[in-house]
Structure formats: structure tokens, C-alpha cells
Amino acid sequence: MAAPGLAIRVNYPTLQYLTAQKFNYGGRKLFFVKASAGSTEAEEANIIVRKEKYGWQPDFSGGMRPTPILDTINYPVHMKNLSVKELEKLAAELRAEIVHTVSKTGGHLSSSLGVVELTVALHQVFSAPEDKIIWDVGHQAYGHKILTGRRSKMHTIRKTSGLAGFPKREESVYDAFGAGHSSTSISAGLGMAVARDLLGKDNSVVSVIGDGAMTAGQAYEALNNAGFLDTNLIVVLNDNRQVSLPTATLDGPATPVGALSRALSKLQASPKFRQLREAAKGITKQIGPQAHEVAAKFDEYARGMISSSGSTFFEELGLYYIGPVDGHNIDDLVTIFQKVKTMPAPGPVLIHIITEKGKGYPPAEAAADRMHGVVKFDPKTGKQMKAKTPTLMYTQYFAESLIKEAEADNRIVAIHAAMGGGTGLNYFQKRFPERCFDVGIAEQHAVTFAAGLATEGLKPFCAIYSSFLQRGYDQVVHDVDLQKLPVRFAMDRAGLVGADGPTHCGAFDVAYMACLPNMIVMAPSDEAELMHMVATAAAIDDRPSCFRFPRGNGVGAVLPPDYKGTPLEIGKGRILREGNRVAILGFGSVVQQCLGAAEMLKSHNILPTIADARFCKPLDADLIRRLAKEHEILITVEEGSIGGFGSHISHFLTLHGILDGPLKLRSMVLPDRYIDQGAPQDQIEEAGLSSRHICATVLSLLGTPKEVVNFV
Amino acid sequence: MCCNSAVIIPRPDPCFSFLPTRPDIIPFPASVSFRIRTVFHHGPSKSIPNDTVQFSGSDPATLYDLLGIPKTGTLLEIKQAYKQLARKYHPDVSPLDRVEEYTKMFIRVQEAYETLSDPRRRALYDRDMAKGIHLAFSARRFFEFDEQMEDKSEWKSRWQSQLSHLKKRSMYKDSGDNMSWGAKMRRQRNESS
């Protein structure tokens, strides 16, 4: 897992001349250059950074080159004495470090590149961890992690037992708030600011939020409250005009969604503002010094009248708007942060910075999706090394079958919340551009919007990740289920999701969907079943329905002809393997683990019956009764939390008196703790739901504990 | 001049040059994406920067050709040509079977007029033409790039004045009659320290 050639780093500040010899990737002899204040232009030719027109640009054409300034920074406090020029060089080195790290591990690339200057400026001016810096979503915090003592562990990011891909409070005291879902930073920052005031402290609180996250309602709820409370808080609005993810459709960059983005872009071009302010200043000078209240009022009025409409919006909410600011100019950023930090009573301030996603790395700047999320790639060219897989991702099968359904029925529409690529609806959009709706990061609105569409007879498919749908849960209950509107929920990324970790893990959707009275809950065990369930959902027109499928590739099932599924009979599961004594009833893709367990048990002369429940609601009563009657042991397996499929089965069995009898029932669910990020197989093992765990459960129930040892 | 309110796409990718100039033409975002998609369905590969929507007859090479005036045309000539063409291609007066084409032509004529009637934009366009870049209908692309450079210097003076105003305001912000929660807490803290 460690990157080859990565030398052991010493974690105390070293003398500068000691560090240059360490990083000789590829064995190239590079001239050592001291990045001290006295370096001349001639020396500059050899170092990794070149002073270009717009600042220091790192050079990616060779291997990783020495990073003299970055090597001296282990914690932000080491940055305090750097000059602006040195900060710019540090930014270039940090860029190179991010690119080379992510090229080996995969992860989120361009978001971090766009905020390198912001990260450097924030840590230079503010004193983390006393000053709180909160990163919204957090996938842009790689630079922050490097500067706050985790540089040596960056090669483990997003891996099992490694660094998390998002800020995590347990990982470091510099991560002020855990993130993963968007638009929470201002709320959290406001909480920290109010707590600071109540405790009588005087640290600064900075929340960094992007323009994409600003499309979510929670950001405005927080701004509204911040304006009302009038406490000292700095909100940095990082505007790179990339509102949806990944930041491209199939044909190229996605245009920003919604009226807010238009308003934000208007903010950037308003030359009249300055002229009128100058005029206003002249007038107030004439009125005289004693009339400063009049002047202040006039100024406020003038600002509102002449500043572009977007900034008035923030001002009306009660935040003082500063901007737009060039987000790649460290000098400007440091000046502004310094001034705002030292003001006695600024109140809530919003600093609007303009950045470019992927800045400083030409392949990212040129790519349509800006290389937002990448696998391993070659730093020189930016070419990703995507492994060829025999099957496609579940997401793609979903998109294909939805397109097929929509071709047959023109009332089918699709809705997603700024995740066109992640949900596969970019394909749908390409095929049916006027039937695909991207509402921005607004799951609550997406659900009620779908409900509104359903009242008029359309067939909306809401494709929202399982963990993101949590945000719209009240709308699911109140607007969809209570009124029995036929909205279909396609919950991608259900179950454990691998490198993204617990923030993106879809552990709870079976529990929170199956407890709703009118909801039909399905889960496919393979990609062919997924296609049939899409067709089934399209056919269910009198009540809401949902189906959950995991991240990952298909298993190679035989697909229906032309990708068109056939509707399943509702509330009917199927038996995959006939056996005796032991029945294993799986729900969802974990059925594949059950089949694996059956193979393992063969060698012990045990033939379990493997059944695929398909439906959690309504349960297949006949199947369950049959399994309970014909077997001694019934094991239910699901990749979800307690309160889901297993609970429904046990409730059913108790209600029908079956548990009064000799049946032994066990429910295998995700453990009662959050599973950290890692490789999918590692996570399943950690959760105790792999084939061998199922095997061990069977054997322990059959009374052969000694053999269990082989499997555990 | 409504250039300032254009939907600005930061990437210099030519195939996204064909976007409606004014946001108020667009009723709501869904139809924006619809328009982009139709261009791609009809247009050829990404390498061609010009507007790829086909019109009957050949594509005019430059904005001047579109308006039918020589390169040295005066503002008056440009205005006259524009008025004439606008009257011809306005959707309300176009023949029913060619409304789509004529509307597209009308939009292009309007863009041409906006570019050529503004002396600064015309100068930029002429310069690009001389360089051999015929970006007839991607006026926003080069305009926006240049504007970025100008804007940045304006940005700096703007935020500097914002900062000084904030500083002034923060001096008297916590005076007795400000009853916000934050002001109360700040006064408490200042009194106790």
C-alpha cells in the first residue's frame, strides 16, 4: 500500500539543507537548490517551480522533485514566518505533492488543487487548531491534511486503516468538523462561534463552502441564523462555477444549475459599483465629519442600490459581503484574512473568492470533468489507469434499463441532486434531455418535486444515493408516503461503499424505508434483477416504491434481451439453491456472499437452501413460512443496519407464532458501529458479512464449534 | 449592454461557445440544457469552434459578412444593416415554415450587432480576426477572458474599499443600541476583559 520509493519522513522540523537528498524518484540526480530568500534567477531553472505569468507553476514532467519549503512544514505554526513569495512557492510545492500523492492512491484531485492558495493563506493567517477552519464536504482538504501533520501518511488516504478522505475529528485536532455531506460547514461554524462567545474565548472561526454546496437549503438556514445572531464568523465562499458532480455531462462541462449560479456570476462583473462608491464618498465628505451616521446610512443604501444583486442578497441576510477576490492570489487572500481577523467587531463576513477547479495541473484544467474523482493516474499526462472489468457498474445497468423503460413510456422522468455522473443519469440526460432534472444539492426539494410530478400522472424516478436520501427523509414520509404518491426511489451506493467511508455508507435505507406503511422496498441480488426491478418500479403506479443497489460491478448475470427488464410479481422472492436443514435468506447483493458460503459449506457436507427475498416489503409470506417449516435453522442476511430486513422477518415470524416452535433464527446485519473506509472486501470482512462469516454462523448453529475456527 | 450578465463558462472549450447571450432569454434552467443538447445532436465534432447550426445557404465567415457590410463599416451602417436584418428575421414576421431557422438567424444577427456596435468589443474582434481566429459566434469566449483580466484589477480596488468600510463599521458596531446577540456577547466580553 505504501507508495514505492517514499522515504521515511522525520517528523521534526529539519534544517533545510538536509532535506534535499531524500526524494530522488527514479534515481535522477538533481541539483540541490536552497529555496532561501537569496536565490537568483539562474538557480530557479533547476527547481520544481517556475515563476510564470500568473505565479509559481509546478513542473510535472519529471518525477517528484524536491520540495524544500514544504519539507519544513509539519504543522501550520511552521508557516508563520514565511514571506508572501515563499508562500507562493509553498503553494506550488503543495500542488505538486497533491498531484503526486493522488496519482498513486486515487481519490479527489481537482477540488484540492483549486484551493491550494486558500489553504496556505488560511493556515498562514489563522492559528489552527485554536482557530477553527471547517471545510464543507471536505474532499478539498487534502492540502489541509498535508499541512497539518499528515503528509507522511497521505499515501494511505482512503485506504483501510489509513487517513480518511474527508476531515475527521478523531483523526486530527486540526479537523474541526467531520464532513462528507455538503452544506454543513456554516451551521457547524456558527455553532462553534456561539460556543466561543458563551465561553468567553476569542479565537476565529472560518467556514469554507463551495458554490455547489450553496445550492442546498441548509446553507441559507445557517446564513439566516448567522445574520441574526451577528456573531463574529468568517464564511469563505469558494466559487469555481462547478455546481454538479462530476462536473461534466457526457458531452462536456455541466453548466451551473440554477438561478443562484447566475447571480453569483453576476457578482463578478460590476464595474459601476466602484465608480458610484467613489462618488458617494465624495458626497459624504462634503456633509462633514459629524454626520457619520448619515454617511453610514447612505453608504449602506448606496451599497444596496448599486452593488450587484447577488451581494445585496447576502447583505440582506445580515452578512457583510467582501469580494469577488482572486482565489489564486495569496497576497490578496492573506491581506483580507489578516484585516478581517484583527477587526474588533466584524460580525458575520462572507468572502467570495473565485477559483478554478484543478488549477495548476494542465490535464485537470483541460478535462471535461476536471478530474474531480480519479483512480491512479500518470502525473505527467493525467491519463488514468482504469482497470478493465468484465462487467459494468450497477449504476450503468440502472441507467441503461431506465432509458429502455423511458423509451417505452414517455411519462417516465428522472430527478437527481447534482450527481449526474454518480447516479448514471448523465446517460439518461443525453438521451432525454428534457426529462432529466438536476435540482442542485437539494434532496429535500428533489423528493417533493418528484411528488409534485407524480400528482400529475408522470412517473418520476428519484436517483439519490442511499446516504444522501437521509437528508430528504421527512419529504419521503410526509410528501410521498403519507399521500401514497407513486414516486420511485433508486438508491445507489446502498450498503458499504469502500473508500468514501462511513459518511457515504448507505447502511440505514432498508430500516428507514421499510418502516413506512405504503412503501414497497426491493433489492436486487445481481444486475439482471436490477433491470427487472426498474421495470417493476415503473409498473407500480399506485404507491411509492424503492430499490437499493450497491456500489460496484455486476457479477456477470445473464441480462434480459435488449436491457429491458420484465416486472416482477410483487412480494415474491425466489429460491436459488435447494437444500436441507439450513436456510439462508439474503436481501440484496449480499446474496452473492450467501452463495459463496454455500460453496464453502459443501466441503462440510452441508447443503443450505439459498433464497433471495427480493422484497422486504411486502414480505414473501409463503416463502418464509415454507423455509421456516422445512428447515431447522433460518439465517437472514442483509447489508444494512439493525431494524431492516432481519427485523421485519423476525416480526413476521413472531406474529405468526412460528418462533414459538423449534426454528432457530439468526439475523446477520451490519454491526452497531461505523465501518471506516477501506477496500470493499476489507469492509465486508470488518462487518462480519462475508461468505466465511456466514459459514461460521451456520456451523456454530449446527453444533460443530470446532470447525468454526477454520472460518473465523 | 447586457454582456455583464452573461452566463459565464470559464473553460475555453470552443464547443460550448454557443450559449444564449442573455439569461433572460432562458425561462428556467431545464431549457438551457435542452438547447445545448440540440446543438450537439445536430452539430459535428467538437473541434469546430463556430456555431454549427445549419442554415440554408453557406455559413457566413465573419460577423461583417453576416450583416452584409464591409469591414470598415461605420456605426451607422452597422445599425442600418442590423435593423434591416432584424426586421427580416424577427420570429413574428418570419414565414411559418421557417420560424426555427429565422429565429436562430435573428439571434446571430443580434449577437453580431452587439459585438460590432461596442467599439471595445469590435476592436477585440477585429484583432482576433486578424490573428486568423474566426470565432464568429463565440463572442463571449474571448470577451469573457479579456474581461477577467480587467475585472481582476477592479476586483482588488472593490474589496479594498469593502474592507475599509467594514473596518469603519466595526468601530461603532457594538454601540449601545445594537441589540443583536453577538453584539451583546462582545460587549460582555469587552467589559470583563
Side-chain angles (χ1 to χ4, degrees):
Chain A
M1 244 185 265
L6 184 70
I8 310 282
R9 295 225 54 246
V10 282
N11 269 335
Y12 50 88
T14 55
L15 298 168
Q16 277 189 280
Y17 64 84
L18 276 181
T19 58
Q21 282 104 29
K22 288 196 179 163
F23 297 93
N24 267 334
Y25 291 97
R28 243 188 270 169
K29 290 254 181 280
L30 296 161
F31 284 104
F32 158 71
V33 174
K34 245 193 260 217
S36 57
S39 60
T40 62
E41 284 299 310
E43 283 179 79
E44 241 106 84
N46 287 330
I47 61 176
I48 68 165
V49 291
R50 297 188 307 275
K51 182 81 175 161
E52 304 234 325
K53 195 165 156 207
Y54 301 115
W56 297 92
Q57 292 287 349
D59 182 9
F60 296 104
S61 56
M64 186 64 187
R65 306 250 185 108
T67 52
I69 300 186
L70 185 57
D71 290 347
T72 67
I73 312 286
N74 284 317
Y75 293 100
V77 68
H78 302 147
M79 284 171 59
K80 292 300 176 193
N81 291 330
L82 295 178
S83 69
V84 170
K85 204 153 176 262
E86 287 167 331
L87 286 175
E88 287 172 6
K89 279 194 223 167
L90 171 64
E93 291 177 12
L94 188 59
R95 267 212 170 84
E97 178 81 7
I98 293 173
V99 170
H100 283 99
T101 306
V102 178
S103 73
K104 296 195 182 73
T105 62
H108 292 104
L109 177 67
S110 46
S111 343
S112 303
L113 291 179
V115 294
V116 162
E117 283 84 5
L118 174 68
T119 312
V120 167
L122 281 174
H123 281 299
Q124 153 65 271
V125 174
F126 296 104
S127 317
E130 289 75 36
D131 287 337
K132 310 287 178 207
I133 302 176
I134 302 132
W135 298 92
D136 197 278
V137 187
H139 55 221
Q140 78 281 54
Y142 287 28
H144 163 79
K145 292 200 174 199
I146 291 174
L147 288 178
T148 51
R150 286 165 277 183
R151 184 182 178 194
S152 53
K153 290 187 263 175
M154 283 301 285
H155 61 279
T156 63
I157 198 161
R158 293 169 64 90
K159 294 195 162 59
T160 317
S161 312
L163 294 179
F166 305 92
K168 195 168 160 184
R169 280 173 56 84
E170 288 154 4
E171 188 177 281
S172 162
V173 70
Y174 291 92
D175 287 349
F177 202 75
H181 291 192
S182 92
S183 321
T184 54
S185 61
I186 308 179
S187 302
L190 185 60
M192 292 184 201
V194 165
R196 165 204 67 201
D197 286 347
L198 285 171
L199 295 172
K201 297 200 262 197
D202 66 349
N203 53 290
S204 304
V205 178
V206 182
S207 294
V208 182
I209 186 170
D211 57 316
M214 284 294 278
T215 60
Q218 187 173 356
Y220 295 96
E221 294 172 10
L223 290 175
N224 179 39
N225 199 201
F228 174 72
L229 288 175
D230 195 30
T231 172
N232 294 346
L233 173 68
I234 301 172
V235 177
V236 178
L237 172 55
N238 174 25
D239 188 357
N240 58 14
R241 290 194 219 91
Q242 305 288 337
V243 169
S244 294
L245 286 180
T247 52
T249 60
L250 291 177
D251 298 321
T255 51
V257 164
L260 283 165
S261 313
R262 270 209 302 277
L264 284 180
S265 63
K266 271 192 209 169
L267 277 175
Q268 299 166 31
S270 179
K272 293 197 183 60
F273 176 66
R274 187 174 53 87
Q275 296 158 2
L276 272 163
R277 294 206 82 232
E278 296 301 320
K281 273 196 207 152
I283 294 173
T284 55
K285 275 205 194 95
Q286 289 177 13
I287 294 177
Q290 67 271 28
H292 83 91
E293 282 106 8
V294 174
K297 280 210 179 63
F298 178 81
D299 213 18
E300 294 284 346
Y301 179 65
R303 267 176 74 86
M305 182 175 67
I306 57 188
S307 65
S308 34
S309 51
S311 72
T312 317
F313 176 61
F314 293 117
E315 306 267 327
E316 291 300 321
L317 283 174
L319 283 96
Y320 190 86
Y321 174 86
I322 295 178
V325 185
D326 181 0
H328 296 294
N329 183 328
I330 294 188
D331 195 15
D332 286 356
L333 291 173
V334 168
T335 312
I336 295 178
F337 289 142
Q338 197 61 48
K339 288 226 168 91
V340 176
K341 181 181 178 184
T342 51
M343 276 186 212
V349 176
L350 183 129
I351 304 174
H352 183 191
I353 73 170
I354 312 295
T355 60
E356 210 184 303
K357 192 164 182 172
K359 172 98 176 172
Y361 184 53
E365 291 175 14
D369 68 342
R370 302 288 182 132
M371 296 179 76
H372 168 79
V374 294
V375 294
K376 292 198 178 79
F377 64 93
D378 174 23
K380 203 156 128 189
T381 58
K383 191 157 175 323
Q384 292 185 46
M385 298 163 201
K386 289 199 170 131
K388 283 253 176 282
T389 48
T391 51
L392 301 173
M393 294 185 63
Y394 277 104
T395 314
Q396 283 165 290
Y397 291 118
F398 162 65
E400 290 295 337
S401 54
L402 187 62
I403 290 175
K404 279 289 173 308
E405 295 296 325
E407 281 170 0
D409 185 344
N410 66 353
R411 283 173 302 157
I412 290 182
V413 292
I415 301 122
H416 64 95
M419 298 287 302
T423 54
L425 288 184
N426 271 348
Y427 294 97
F428 192 87
Q429 159 126 60
K430 180 155 189 172
R431 181 73 184 77
F432 299 105
E434 69 283 7
R435 283 156 71 173
C436 185
F437 299 96
D438 176 2
V439 299
I441 303 181
E443 288 78 9
Q444 304 177 32
H445 163 70
V447 175
T448 309
F449 175 61
L453 289 168
T455 56
E456 296 293 321
L458 291 183
K459 298 189 175 182
F461 273 78
C462 246
I464 299 180
Y465 281 12
S466 161
S467 62
F468 297 165
L469 188 56
Q470 286 160 194
R471 207 171 254 207
Y473 187 53
D474 177 52
Q475 283 74 13
V476 174
V477 176
H478 178 271
D479 296 329
V480 173
D481 194 75
L482 183 56
Q483 300 179 103
K484 218 171 162 188
L485 290 171
V487 177
R488 292 89 169 152
F489 294 99
M491 298 182 296
D492 199 341
R493 307 306 198 260
L496 299 164
V497 293
D500 278 333
T503 53
H504 288 62
C505 173
F508 309 114
D509 55 279
V510 187
Y512 67 63
M513 285 303 218
C515 63
L516 300 177
N518 291 320
M519 181 72 67
I520 294 183
V521 181
M522 314 182 258
S525 51
D526 58 43
E527 59 273 33
E529 286 283 298
L530 173 59
M531 295 187 163
H532 295 309
M533 287 188 184
V534 173
T536 314
I540 299 173
D541 228 2
D542 60 338
R543 58 184 61 215
S545 54
C546 67
F547 49 95
R548 54 146 18 198
F549 49 99
R551 184 181 202 225
N553 293 357
V555 298
V558 175
L559 297 172
D562 205 26
Y563 285 172
K564 180 107 175 43
T566 38
L568 303 167
E569 198 185 336
I570 296 181
K572 285 274 167 285
R574 60 176 180 158
I575 295 191
L576 295 172
R577 296 260 167 99
E578 292 279 2
N580 53 48
R581 285 189 78 193
V582 181
I584 305 178
L585 181 60
F587 180 63
S589 57
V590 78
V591 165
Q592 305 301 327
Q593 305 290 338
C594 302
L595 290 170
E599 288 300 315
M600 286 183 190
L601 286 168
K602 258 195 212 162
S603 54
H604 292 259
N605 290 326
I606 300 172
L607 264 83
T609 304
I610 309 286
D612 171 15
R614 279 181 174 163
F615 289 84
C616 176
K617 200 174 170 114
L619 284 173
D620 188 344
D622 294 332
L623 174 66
I624 298 171
R625 280 211 195 88
R626 193 188 131 194
L627 291 177
K629 215 160 67 149
E630 296 174 7
H631 300 81
E632 294 169 27
I633 296 167
L634 176 60
I635 300 175
T636 67
V637 193
E638 71 189 293
E639 203 176 320
S641 69
I642 195 169
F645 179 65
S647 304
H648 282 261
I649 296 279
S650 66
H651 188 70
F652 174 86
L653 292 174
T654 44
L655 273 184
H656 294 259
I658 301 172
L659 276 189
D660 303 344
L663 180 71
K664 289 188 186 157
L665 173 71
R666 294 292 182 272
S667 296
M668 294 182 74
V669 296
L670 286 175
D672 194 21
R673 62 177 188 279
Y674 292 99
I675 309 276
D676 282 336
Q677 83 283 354
Q681 196 50 40
D682 292 346
Q683 283 191 323
I684 285 270
E685 293 282 329
E686 165 84 23
L689 289 175
S690 65
S691 303
R692 65 185 183 92
H693 288 102
I694 300 174
C695 229
T697 312
V698 171
L699 288 172
S700 67
L701 281 171
L702 283 174
T704 54
K706 281 205 203 119
E707 301 191 27
V708 174
V709 173
N710 295 337
F711 286 98
V712 168
Chain B
M1 195 58 60
C2 61
C3 323
N4 289 344
S5 57
V7 176
I8 297 176
I9 305 304
R11 291 192 55 248
D13 185 335
C15 71
F16 295 94
S17 54
F18 183 66
L19 283 170
T21 325
R22 282 184 281 243
D24 40 57
I25 292 180
I26 312 165
F28 54 86
S31 68
V32 171
S33 58
F34 174 67
R35 279 199 194 183
I36 299 169
R37 297 290 100 71
T38 46
V39 171
F40 295 134
H41 279 160
H42 298 157
S45 68
K46 287 181 185 189
S47 56
I48 300 177
N50 279 340
D51 177 12
T52 55
V53 173
Q54 289 307 309
F55 187 68
S56 62
S58 60
D59 257 347
T62 68
L63 295 181
Y64 294 100
D65 292 341
L66 179 71
L67 291 180
I69 47 176
K71 287 199 178 51
T72 52
T74 63
L75 188 59
L76 190 60
E77 287 176 66
I78 295 172
K79 267 198 186 140
Q80 281 175 338
Y82 166 64
K83 282 200 185 123
Q84 206 179 17
L85 287 171
R87 245 174 281 162
K88 180 176 170 204
Y89 289 122
H90 196 280
D92 291 348
V93 303
S94 50
L96 279 167
D97 57 334
R98 301 173 82 181
V99 170
E100 271 255 308
E101 289 176 328
Y102 273 47
T103 312
K104 289 188 185 109
M105 198 60 191
F106 178 73
I107 294 172
R108 290 157 93 191
V109 163
Q110 202 160 31
E111 284 178 357
Y113 173 66
E114 280 171 10
T115 312
L116 295 180
S117 57
D118 178 5
R120 188 170 68 98
R121 281 176 75 173
R122 186 181 178 179
L124 289 171
Y125 178 70
D126 288 344
R127 201 179 60 202
D128 281 353
M129 252 201 343
K131 282 192 253 175
I133 308 168
H134 284 272
L135 302 167
F137 302 104
S138 53
R140 237 144 306 91
R141 228 176 44 86
F142 65 76
F143 169 69
E144 162 246 321
F145 177 70
D146 199 58
E147 193 186 52
Q148 261 183 12
M149 303 320 302
E150 287 186 31
D151 273 349
K152 285 198 177 161
S153 55
E154 284 175 355
W155 289 358
K156 183 157 184 165
S157 48
R158 195 190 319 181
W159 59 252
Q160 278 169 337
S161 55
Q162 285 165 339
L163 273 177
S164 55
H165 180 259
L166 178 62
K167 187 151 187 191
K168 262 188 294 179
R169 195 182 79 161
S170 81
M171 297 298 180
Y172 58 80
K173 195 171 162 64
D174 287 341
S175 58
D177 47 353
N178 187 354
M179 292 309 291
S180 72
W181 186 91
K184 279 189 262 187
M185 297 303 293
R186 281 190 288 267
R187 276 197 294 270
Q188 263 179 31
R189 208 186 70 219
N190 289 338
E191 274 155 32
S192 60
S193 64

